[in-house]
Amino acid sequence: MTRPAARTAAGFTLVEVMVALAIVAIALPALLFTLYQQVDTTGYLRDKSMAQLVAVNKMTEFRLVTLARRELAAGRETGVATMADREWFWAVESSATDVPQLYRVEISVGADEVSTAANTALYSLTAFLSADLQVDTTSLEEAGEDGDGGESSEQGQDGDDKSEAPAPQAESDQTGDSGDE
């Protein structure tokens, strides 16, 4: 009895091809989902970073205007700022705290008016500012003579460095300059 010769096949069987296609069909959507999620996260972080810059700029502007006017504006104010060829909606809300002469200032920035008004902003910045904007020149001169600025308030330190105009000094405080001395 002779046996028929064994046939050697070079290639994949139908079952092997179907298993490979099933693996690709499961892996490919998961990979695409991860890719889209990464793109969305990158866009969100970009928007949040821009919103932070808008909030910091608005806080700096608020401080400068407060120093120039010598009064702290209380209440809520809203507006639009343009940064990176895009409009950002901001809201500034200042309110008194339990501590006398201390105000809480919160700046919220969002991509649209609704998110800013509904407290679902991309970025929110909170600061506490003193409402005591009157500079006592006698205590400033004494602090300058003693060389001890540690007991002076922040306003006193501002007064030490400035000549006579409050707005330029506030600007130099924001940039880290030490003044004209």
Side-chain angles (χ1 to χ4, degrees):
M1 293 210 235
T2 61
R3 287 186 173 182
R7 196 175 111 183
T8 58
F12 297 106
T13 64
L14 182 60
V15 173
E16 292 171 334
V17 171
M18 295 300 286
V19 168
L21 284 175
I23 291 172
V24 169
I26 292 171
L28 193 60
L31 181 65
L32 289 175
F33 176 75
T34 304
L35 180 67
Y36 288 135
Q37 190 176 17
Q38 182 68 31
V39 169
D40 287 344
T41 302
T42 302
Y44 172 75
L45 291 176
R46 181 199 62 231
D47 290 349
K48 190 164 181 143
S49 295
M50 287 294 145
Q52 178 188 14
L53 292 173
V54 171
V56 169
N57 286 347
K58 199 66 198 161
M59 181 61 74
T60 302
E61 180 183 329
F62 187 83
R63 286 180 176 166
L64 289 172
V65 168
T66 299
L67 283 173
R69 290 184 183 166
R70 292 284 182 203
E71 66 179 351
L72 188 65
R76 184 172 174 89
E77 182 182 350
T78 60
V80 179
T82 302
M83 181 171 282
D85 294 330
R86 189 168 167 193
E87 288 186 341
W88 299 93
F89 295 87
W90 54 264
V92 176
E93 188 168 353
S94 60
S95 58
T97 62
D98 292 338
V99 178
Q101 298 293 318
L102 190 66
Y103 279 78
R104 180 179 191 263
V105 178
E106 183 173 354
I107 299 176
S108 301
V109 179
D112 56 8
E113 242 177 317
V114 175
S115 68
T116 305
N119 291 331
T120 57
L122 282 171
Y123 191 80
S124 181
L125 177 66
T126 302
F128 293 90
L129 300 176
S130 173
D132 183 18
L133 300 172
Q134 301 302 320
V135 177
D136 184 10
T137 56
T138 59
S139 65
L140 293 177
E141 291 170 2
E142 292 171 3
E145 291 172 6
D146 294 342
D148 181 26
E151 293 182 352
S152 299
S153 68
E154 185 173 324
Q155 290 295 325
Q157 290 172 357
D158 286 347
D160 258 349
D161 292 340
K162 69 180 161 192
S163 53
E164 292 189 38
Q169 177 55 37
E171 185 176 344
S172 67
D173 281 347
Q174 294 298 323
T175 58
D177 295 340
S178 61
D180 296 330
E181 295 178 10

